[in-house]
Amino acid sequence: MIKKTVLPLSFVLSLAWSLPGGAAPVTDQHWSLLARQLFPALTDLGNARLATANAVLATRRARIDACQQAPACVLNAGLWNEAEISELAAVAAKAPASAWHKPALADDGIPAQVGRELRGLNGILQVYGLGAAPHYPLIDGPLDAAGTPRFSATVADAVALAAAGADDPALALDASLRLAVALLDANGRDDAVAFEPLDPQHNAAALGRAHIIDWTLYRYTAIIIPGIGPENALPLSPRGKLNVRMAAKRFADGEAPFIILSGASVHPRGTRYVEAVEMRRALIERYGVPAESIIIEPYARHTTTNLRNVTRRLVAMGAPLDKDSLIITNTSQSGYIESPEFSARNQKELGYLPGKVGARLSPTELTFRPSAKSLRIDPADPLDP
């Protein structure tokens, strides 16, 4: 029997670092996708290679290099302080419009978006690298508990992985960008790109129909079913099945041309079921709803981001944002969406309301008018930005 030899990571990296200086840089397509999804403004800023950013970036580079790859030192040095955030945001303010891949990603301006992304990046380094508690410990956080040997080993490997990608042109802005992406990658937390490209691969038929539809023929732009999160191993919880059935009835009444399903793989932690996908399956197989009338949004992990992310899909569809959509869900969640508590949670976690909750039509139905603020990207929650 042939015995396999496993080379230590440090030895593999030493071989990589000994390659000829003229070797071409290697781009990790998965990292590029993750960085583009979580940090669109920072990615664009790195691609712009603005000379005015050199001072703050050079200072940070020297600080990180001085750590000589000691994990805790590298991670702490990688954190952005408020002065650095302000300086980079000022650089972004001077960049030409052509520098931005998604100029409409922030209704409050690119500098504000840069600040959000840098603070979100800090959060990733703190939770996945330095052991800070995540916002939702039951569903978030690294593979292994902070302070355990396995946590420390994963962090060290992620720091080495980030160093190995130092020449990756897709993450050229700052070492902290590579650190954040490497930490998520090392922990298998790449949820934010699990369905990319979302619309071409999963929503193409419905989007094609949306772009030629006459919206004036319908009372609502879409029927929205937010995720409810089954706390068991079933594909859909009983309440999830109830939501699907109620939506199928309203769709059959001709109230809206589309049903938008929002929900990720969240409850219980580690589940293999994605709620939006399972709801779509139920609508098609159990109720005969045409696939071209269904849009999935498989990333939202909370009711707050259910409504935020649904707005993004409405924009992708070309739906008029000055027309109501209809939220259909069980009485418990419907009442919560209408409550002051939910409004306060949106303000705390998102910094804005994703839209205006309007008239209550029944114990399970609410109207909803989406807000353009929902287009802001916020990597404070890197699994659902």
Side-chain angles (χ1 to χ4, degrees):
M1 186 173 77
I2 299 174
K3 184 178 179 181
K4 293 183 178 179
T5 301
V6 179
L7 298 177
L9 178 62
S10 58
F11 178 73
V12 175
L13 292 177
S14 70
L15 290 178
W17 291 331
S18 66
L19 290 173
V26 176
T27 296
D28 185 325
Q29 300 297 333
H30 189 65
W31 278 20
S32 297
L33 187 61
L34 196 54
R36 168 60 62 188
Q37 190 82 334
L38 294 175
F39 310 110
L42 296 181
T43 303
D44 285 345
L45 204 54
N47 291 336
R49 303 184 184 279
L50 300 174
T52 49
N54 284 349
V56 64
L57 296 178
T59 299
R60 288 180 49 78
R61 186 161 50 248
R63 185 172 76 216
I64 294 170
D65 288 347
C67 292
Q68 297 184 343
Q69 289 301 101
C73 179
V74 168
L75 289 161
N76 279 292
L79 295 172
W80 288 77
N81 60 49
E82 286 301 317
E84 292 169 340
I85 291 174
S86 296
E87 190 169 344
L88 198 65
V91 170
K94 298 175 183 177
S98 59
W100 308 111
H101 181 67
K102 292 183 178 180
L105 57 81
D107 67 301
D108 54 350
I110 292 292
Q113 180 63 33
V114 167
R116 276 192 293 273
E117 292 182 18
L118 290 175
R119 293 183 182 94
L121 190 156
N122 279 350
I124 295 172
L125 300 189
Q126 289 162 339
V127 171
Y128 292 88
L130 296 170
H135 288 306
Y136 296 95
L138 293 179
I139 61 174
D140 290 343
L143 285 171
D144 301 294
T148 63
R150 289 180 61 175
F151 173 84
S152 299
T154 300
V155 170
D157 286 346
V159 170
L161 189 58
D167 65 345
D168 194 325
L171 295 96
L173 181 70
D174 185 78
S176 60
L177 202 58
R178 296 186 295 275
L179 284 168
V181 172
L183 283 165
L184 293 175
D185 194 11
N187 284 277
R189 301 315 305 251
D190 55 357
D191 308 46
V193 295
F195 285 83
E196 294 305 310
L198 175 59
D199 289 333
Q201 284 194 7
H202 303 281
N203 292 325
L207 285 179
R209 179 170 173 251
H211 290 151
I212 60 172
I213 203 162
D214 184 352
W215 298 99
T216 64
L217 298 178
Y218 299 89
R219 186 176 179 184
Y220 305 107
T221 56
I223 294 167
I224 298 168
I225 312 181
I228 196 64
E231 295 291 351
N232 49 47
L234 295 173
L236 284 178
S237 69
R239 286 185 295 175
K241 292 174 181 177
L242 171 64
N243 290 353
V244 165
R245 186 178 187 91
M246 292 189 296
K249 175 63 170 65
R250 274 297 213 172
F251 178 80
D253 292 340
E255 295 281 1
F258 298 99
I259 300 175
I260 305 181
L261 310 169
S262 178
S265 55
V266 183
H267 300 284
R269 181 168 177 163
T271 179
R272 61 189 175 92
Y273 295 115
V274 177
E275 201 166 3
V277 173
E278 297 304 326
M279 289 193 287
R280 180 183 187 274
R281 190 192 317 279
L283 282 171
I284 293 172
E285 295 179 357
R286 297 175 66 157
Y287 300 104
V289 176
E292 62 268 23
S293 297
I294 302 172
I295 296 280
I296 65 166
E297 188 295 296
Y299 292 126
R301 306 181 314 126
H302 310 285
T303 308
T304 52
T305 52
N306 282 143
L307 299 186
R308 180 199 67 184
N309 293 1
V310 160
T311 297
R312 296 175 180 173
R313 301 277 53 80
L314 286 168
V315 169
M317 294 162 64
L321 297 188
D322 58 353
K323 187 179 178 74
D324 284 344
S325 52
L326 181 66
I327 300 172
I328 296 182
T329 185
N330 62 86
T331 55
S332 175
Q333 188 178 33
S334 185
Y336 177 59
I337 289 172
E338 192 181 35
S339 70
E341 178 187 356
F342 182 64
S343 294
R345 180 180 169 192
N346 277 290
Q347 292 288 6
K348 179 181 178 181
E349 296 183 9
L350 302 179
Y352 57 87
L353 299 179
K356 181 180 180 181
V357 177
R360 174 167 290 286
L361 306 183
S362 76
T364 58
E365 297 176 326
L366 289 165
T367 61
F368 177 70
R369 185 74 61 91
S371 168
K373 288 184 172 65
S374 294
L375 298 179
R376 299 178 188 176
I377 306 297
D378 184 4
D381 183 349
L383 309 186
D384 177 19

